[in-house]
Amino acid sequence: MVHIIDDEEAIRDGLGWLLKTRGLDSRGWDDGAAFLDAGDAPLAGVTCLVLDVRMPRLSGLEVFDRLQARHGDAMPPVIFLTGHGDIPMAVEAVKKGAFDFFEKPLSNNRLVDRIIAALDRAEASLALRSTQAETDRRLASLSPREHEVMERVLGGKLNKVIADELGITMRTVEVHRASIFNKMGVRGAVELAQLLKR
């Protein structure tokens, strides 16, 4: 979903139509405050925001800052639309994390190409956050003893050394290792290390 936040109806309608011809869904907002008031619902899934810098009530930069404060790294990509005098502000926004900016009048097809690139980035970011959340869930399922064994396995220690350090039998270490690998969804220590490195 592409959210077009611009007080100019012609921009919202024209860009919405162009996005539709490229197979992309969009929704227009005539006001940044209205978009923010809608809460997190518009940001569900893979989204991109096309945000006008100058709007009444709340500027695009203010909307951007509030979204960044609310969502941090999970914020969707933002592409700013700027008038000639707004370029320094747009450059500053890109330094703060905006995806790109375009000067009005727009080069529509180039803008849509960048929107598609932004959506691709949003999709990859969402997948990464989902993977991280799943890894965190799996780590939380480990018992305290399994955490102790896992730390030593990741340190490259042999079962006999782990057993001696923890005061348990080698067979118990083997059982814990198997349980750790099963819960973490990996086949061995190398895969476990790669998973946790991500």
Side-chain angles (χ1 to χ4, degrees):
M1 174 65 75
V2 180
H3 294 281
I4 307 161
I5 308 165
D6 196 307
D7 59 327
E8 294 181 52
E9 186 176 2
I11 297 278
R12 294 191 313 270
D13 291 348
L15 186 52
W17 176 84
L18 186 59
L19 290 166
K20 189 174 183 178
T21 67
R22 301 277 290 267
L24 298 171
D25 291 327
S26 67
R27 179 173 176 188
W29 303 79
D30 64 359
D31 182 80
F35 178 79
L36 290 173
D37 289 345
D40 292 340
L43 301 179
V46 177
T47 60
C48 171
L49 308 182
V50 178
L51 189 54
D52 188 19
V53 169
R54 289 200 189 273
M55 292 183 288
R57 286 213 304 158
L58 205 58
S59 76
L61 294 172
E62 290 172 307
V63 172
F64 179 76
D65 288 343
R66 290 185 189 187
L67 286 171
Q68 227 174 16
R70 189 190 297 174
H71 297 285
D73 292 340
M75 185 169 139
V78 173
I79 297 174
F80 277 103
L81 304 181
T82 69
H84 177 69
D86 300 327
I87 290 178
M89 285 187 280
V91 170
E92 187 61 30
V94 170
K95 287 179 184 175
K96 290 164 103 178
F99 187 78
D100 208 342
F101 73 93
F102 280 78
E103 189 176 1
K104 295 177 181 180
L106 302 170
S107 168
N108 287 336
N109 282 313
R110 195 169 147 259
L111 173 58
V112 173
D113 289 342
R114 290 302 287 158
I115 289 170
I116 291 169
L119 288 168
D120 288 344
R121 178 188 284 180
E123 188 170 26
S125 178
L126 186 65
L128 184 62
R129 285 195 309 277
S130 176
T131 300
Q132 184 59 54
E134 177 61 19
T135 300
D136 291 346
R137 186 193 65 73
R138 289 178 182 221
L139 280 170
S141 75
L142 299 179
S143 71
R145 178 62 87 184
E146 287 170 339
H147 275 283
E148 291 176 332
V149 171
M150 181 179 70
E151 287 172 16
R152 287 162 174 81
V153 167
L154 291 171
K157 295 183 177 178
L158 300 173
N159 287 353
K160 182 178 182 342
V161 174
I162 296 171
D164 289 344
E165 285 184 6
L166 297 177
I168 56 178
T169 67
M170 265 185 50
R171 176 67 188 137
T172 303
V173 172
E174 290 169 1
V175 169
H176 284 312
R177 278 180 75 115
S179 177
I180 291 164
F181 295 158
N182 183 50
K183 287 180 179 179
M184 295 303 295
V186 297
R187 289 174 292 191
V190 173
E191 274 188 37
L192 179 61
Q194 289 171 341
L195 175 67
L196 296 179
K197 191 174 180 182
R198 279 188 245 133

